[in-house]
Amino acid sequence: MSSISPLMISVSGVRGIIGSSLTPAVATEFGQAFGCFLQNRRIQSPAATAPSSRLKVAIGRDSRPSGPLVFQAVSAGLMSVGVDVVDLDIATTPSIALFGRYLKADAAIAITASHNPIIWNGIKFLRDDGIAFPPAEAAQIKQTYFDKPWLKSGLAPIEKLGLFSTDSRVHAHHIQTVLQYFDIRAIAQHRYKIVLDSVNGAGCIGTPMLLGKLGTETVHMNDQATGHFAHVPEPTKENLVTLCEKVKQTRAVVGFAQDPDADRLAIVDENGTYIGEEYTLALCAYARMLSKPGPMCANLSTSRMIDDIAARFGQIVYRTPVGEANVASKMMEVNAVCGGEGNGGIIDLRIGPVRDSFLGIVMILDLMHRTNKSISQLVNDIPRYSMIKTKFECTPEQSAKLVAAVKKKFADQKLDTQDGVRIDWSGENGGWVHVRQSNTEPIARVIAEAADEATANALIAQVQVLRG
């Protein structure tokens, strides 16, 4: 086990190892902290909610075996400081975000560690509109956890304890919200044969319901929401060999892979070739541009394919720090028609300000329908680049030193310092490198993209030598 503390508290919420850094006591205190934060937020903005109404938080979880433990602890913390809890049970993170908004809850919480292994779990705090809290408010939640004001003021008296209820409409609401913007009958007439790998995560429940309405013939792999992941849960090439084989074996037109909380989507083409998470946003952006051209947003670590697609339609891409909240906020600011992240996350504000694999699946099938092209043909329509993603264990202090060294060495190049540092070399084949500290893991990431693999590796090497 690393000496680096595995408890991560960031703008993305909280993640830790169950029984080590994320214990029932820690989860309870984060529930209490979030409840106190919401109460203070109401006092500071009384017009946002009627003062006499009760605060309400909708909570769902992915399928991890530790999910009930963390859910019950967080719920107990919230109710102990007078906040009502609505239990959504196992649901995808975008489902939770959208349904919290539908319920007009004051906030929502997703109990998930996303693509992290089974020993991890986390607590993701979402605003009433479904978006993650901005850095300033995320810092307030963190500080409230450390200050523990409930120890001074006391917990809620019996008559003001939070109430507990359940609601089972979360999946149906999500599906209806997505499908209203697409021609379901037109897609269904193709009877597309697909292979879906839900990795025994939260996507196991709602995704088959979605595909049923789209008329697909679905081969569903790892389809039980047990949380005992059938393979390493991050939907990367090395983890999806079996999915690629199944697509070829069944002669499916496409393979889809979700991560445990189903906000990310990776794609396999009809030949059983993993085309990757980067193409999810690129293809979805292409689909959106065909129906409504407009500005788009993506984070600094996302492939330049989206810039090529935007340019084809005379549009611009706005770059943001990594994190869906950053992308969604910029989208709202510039009235973007779509956006997302290169890790397989597509965002469309018509649906909600969150990454959404349900949306990605429908957009890809709709694109196939409207262009009458296969996935491999659609991929060939987009300029191809080579992207290399590396990571290494690193403290925030070590990462900051590396970023500073990179800024100094490449000061004569185009630099973007919104999130760590991204270097863009001049020239069509110049490429770029992004160096940053992860918000969700105790690691630093170094990502490069260039016209070919050799150039991308060379760019990575230029940064790696600065680690010292």
Side-chain angles (χ1 to χ4, degrees), residues 15 18 28 34 54 143 151 164 194 234 237 245 266 301 303 354 357 379 429 431:
R15 287 189 191 176
I18 293 297
T28 299
F34 191 51
R54 301 177 64 95
Q143 192 57 51
L151 296 180
F164 184 86
I194 72 167
E234 188 164 14
K237 181 177 182 178
E245 293 173 347
S301 288
S303 172
V354 290
S357 69
V379 166
N429 298 320

Side-chain angles (χ1 to χ4, degrees), residues 84-348:
D84 293 349
V85 168
V86 182
D87 177 14
L88 306 183
D89 203 6
I90 296 177
T92 73
T93 292
S95 299
I96 295 163
L98 297 180
F99 201 65
R101 183 177 65 182
Y102 173 75
L103 290 175
K104 297 183 179 179
D106 298 278
I109 293 176
I111 306 298
T112 179
S114 187
H115 63 275
N116 287 55
I118 193 172
I119 62 173
W120 288 77
N121 212 329
I123 308 165
K124 185 170 185 175
F125 303 109
L126 303 169
R127 300 189 319 198
D128 56 351
D129 59 0
I131 195 171
F133 287 89
E137 290 192 299
Q140 291 176 27
I141 297 169
K142 179 178 179 179
Q143 192 57 51
T144 305
Y145 167 75
F146 287 118
D147 290 344
K148 298 180 177 27
W150 58 89
L151 296 180
K152 297 179 182 178
S153 60
L155 301 179
I158 190 67
E159 66 275 8
K160 292 187 178 181
L161 288 175
L163 304 177
F164 184 86
S165 62
T166 62
D167 200 310
S168 61
R169 298 173 294 170
V170 59
H171 306 291
H173 174 73
H174 186 181
I175 293 167
Q176 180 182 7
T177 302
V178 171
L179 291 182
Q180 66 181 309
Y181 296 103
F182 298 90
D183 188 340
I184 303 172
R185 290 185 178 180
I187 296 173
Q189 71 182 3
H190 293 277
R191 297 291 296 171
Y192 289 125
K193 186 172 187 177
I194 72 167
V195 181
L196 171 68
D197 181 358
S198 295
V199 73
N200 305 114
C204 289
I205 302 171
T207 319
M209 298 165 58
L210 171 79
L211 293 170
K213 292 184 177 296
L214 293 171
T216 64
E217 180 184 345
T218 304
V219 178
H220 199 178
M221 301 171 58
N222 308 316
D223 61 344
Q224 299 299 308
T226 63
H228 292 283
F229 308 133
H231 53 74
V232 178
E234 188 164 14
T236 54
K237 181 177 182 178
E238 59 271 21
N239 300 330
L240 298 177
V241 174
T242 305
L243 172 61
C244 293
E245 293 173 347
K246 182 66 73 172
V247 170
K248 288 183 66 176
Q249 176 189 335
T250 60
R251 298 183 179 180
V253 298
V254 64
F256 293 123
Q258 298 169 306
D259 67 337
D261 68 326
D263 63 346
R264 293 167 55 181
L265 182 73
I267 303 172
V268 172
D269 74 11
E270 74 279 6
N271 301 310
T273 301
Y274 174 85
I275 67 169
E277 299 172 291
E278 291 292 335
Y279 276 98
T280 302
L281 178 58
L283 291 173
C284 288
Y286 182 23
R288 191 74 177 106
M289 290 295 101
L290 286 175
S291 61
K292 183 177 176 59
M296 296 188 286
C297 298
N299 71 35
L300 289 169
S301 288
T302 295
S303 172
R304 64 171 62 170
M305 288 189 292
I306 191 173
D307 299 274
D308 294 328
I309 293 166
R312 188 182 302 179
F313 291 88
Q315 301 299 323
I316 189 173
V317 175
Y318 294 88
R319 295 283 177 168
T320 76
V322 173
E324 69 179 348
N326 296 316
V327 178
S329 295
K330 192 67 175 181
M331 289 177 67
M332 290 185 279
E333 177 187 331
V334 303
N335 196 29
V337 298
C338 78
E341 301 189 284
N343 61 5
I346 175 68
I347 302 172
D348 185 331

Side-chain angles (χ1 to χ4, degrees), residues 42-66:
R42 168 180 284 187
I43 292 171
Q44 294 167 7
S45 304
T49 311
S52 59
S53 65
R54 301 177 64 95
L55 286 166
K56 178 171 64 179
V57 175
I59 310 181
R61 58 185 176 87
D62 70 20
S63 60
R64 295 165 191 270
S66 61

